[in-house]
Amino acid sequence: MRDYEEVTAFLGEWGRFQRLVFFLLSASIVPNGFNGLSIVFLAGTPEHRCAVPPGANLSEEWRNASIPLELRGGLTEPSRCSRYRLDVLLNLSALGLRPGIDVHLAELEQEPCLDGWEYSRDVYRSTIVTEWNLVCDNDWKGPMSTSLFFVGVLLGSFISGQLSDKFGRKNVLFSTLAMQTIFSFVQIFSTSWEMFSVFFLLVGMGQISNYVAAFVLGTEILGKSIRLLFCTLGVCIFYAFGYMLLPLFAYFIRDWRLLLLALTLPGLLFIPLWWIIPESPRWLISRGRFREAEDIIRKAAKINEVTVPDVIFDPSELQDLSSQGQQTYTILDLMRTRNILTITIMSVILWMIISVGYFGLSLDTPNLHGDVYVNCFLSAVIEVPAYIISWLLLRNLPRRYSMAAALFLGGCVLLFIQLVPSHIRALSILLVMLGKFGITSAFSMVYVYTAELYPTVVRNMGVGASSMASRLGSILSPYFAYLGAYDRFLPYILMGSLTVLSGILTLFLPESYGMPLPDTIEQMLLVKGLEYRPASTAKRNSKDEEENPEIFKSTSF
């Protein structure tokens, strides 16, 4: 029986149909770029200090001295969470005493910010932090909102994988795009931090679900030579483009509600794509829906202006595929054999560690020296060469060696940051961006690698489960960034060490470079290594070994 790619070879690799699918699916990822990390600006914490009531009968001198000084980051700055007792200051001001001359300020009793806070408007006009005073005793709520978003991403990764394998890639893609847009719009009208966070969790569920569905849909529709281009440059470059738009939007729109509205409206542009983007023929075939799959293939042939064979699937192939299509697959099938169980466990660990590094560094941009908008833009821009390099590596080198090299680079650079003198701030930022470069490259390649390891019948479930595991790391990533409050280098030491360990783990994964994309779990066993292949498949092994490992070298933009 011929495989799907052999059956549909008459369509060509880069016709009008493939170009349409490539760019539309890639464009559907743009909102993920600016929505996924929007919390950097939505929950930005400006400089703040305790407010003194405007009606307080204090002299200007005492009003300026009402905030105690404290050592922070090696500098003496006004306290953010305490002030001198207001009733004491009123008495001293009424007596005509002068602060620092007649009164030793260090001897005065302090109190918390009973009248709220005054926030600097230099960077942000308003954020959820200034809206609901998420500072001091409530400063844990900022990172908690971020973690709840990633909890939603975690749930979405788990649910969308199974829903997509059951109801189709296209249905899940557009339903989750709608979910992300609708709940993000409702979020604008939040009246409390609790309401904002609940809807942020729901936005997270849709955010990752449409990413995975679009990724798998493109992987299954596009041919060998274009698949790698789509996974590394198509999806990822468009994601980075959306990420680059985030600081641009935020720079010109500094009110969090208006910013969120501006980030939500582009979701409406994808409604017409429902009538353009097709369902995955591979998925339809795996479900036994051959007529629908053949209709899509014939329509693609018409768009590409190529001749369609009278019979695309012969009766014997239909019968064999039908028996496969009727089989129901669940998350338990990712543990059916020793081989697929080992791959699943290693993928879970790998995705989790890479996610900690990627999101930890992305969320840490406001804590870097310099302008927060410039740092965020640099963090986004560095992803573009990272994706290009990962594409080149995947075209010319084995998967596991490419990923290991990227992870070793990212991890080692982060470990070196602690050796940089504190006054050379530009070098520290450069090393952080270089670490982001390595980890982003690995993040790009791990999607391709995982998608190639799992067969069609459980591919979306396998990628979804791996992505779900990575979200455990992303849930923790905000707190990796906040560890910097205790030790400036601790986040980089932890992320760097974990990244190096994940690079070592990658070397033990099977190699999928040059292998055909498996459609069934049985075919998956054939590409894992000779020790998993039964003797009866020797003929197929010989054929696989003769395949050109340079199949991606013919890819062109």
Side-chain angles (χ1 to χ4, degrees), residues 23-37 177 180 207 210-211 214 234-246 249 263 266-267 269-270:
F23 288 109
L24 291 182
L25 286 178
S26 297
S28 72
I29 302 299
V30 171
N32 295 60
F34 49 69
N35 284 324
L37 293 165
L177 271 172
Q180 180 178 347
Q207 201 262 356
N210 82 276
Y211 186 98
V235 167
C236 297
I237 292 293
F238 277 75
Y239 175 89
F241 176 69
Y243 188 7
M244 283 186 276
L245 289 177
L246 172 62
F249 274 108
L263 298 178
L269 300 176
F270 296 99

Side-chain angles (χ1 to χ4, degrees), residues 126-143:
S126 75
T127 68
I128 65 169
V129 171
T130 63
E131 180 99 2
W132 297 304
N133 292 323
L134 307 184
V135 293
C136 299
D137 290 342
N138 289 321
D139 62 355
W140 57 272
K141 291 183 177 180

Side-chain angles (χ1 to χ4, degrees), residues 431-446:
L431 291 178
V432 170
M433 295 304 165
L434 192 57
K436 177 79 181 295
F437 170 86
I439 293 176
T440 300
S441 298
F443 217 160
S444 171
M445 289 185 279
V446 76

Side-chain angles (χ1 to χ4, degrees), residues 144-161:
M144 177 60 73
S145 294
T146 308
S147 290
L148 287 174
F149 172 83
F150 287 119
V151 168
V153 173
L154 169 65
L155 297 176
S157 299
F158 177 72
I159 297 172
S160 67

Side-chain angles (χ1 to χ4, degrees), residues 294-306:
E294 187 165 322
D295 288 343
I296 292 174
I297 294 171
R298 291 186 182 278
K299 183 179 179 181
K302 183 178 179 181
I303 294 175
N304 284 355
E305 298 180 349
V306 297

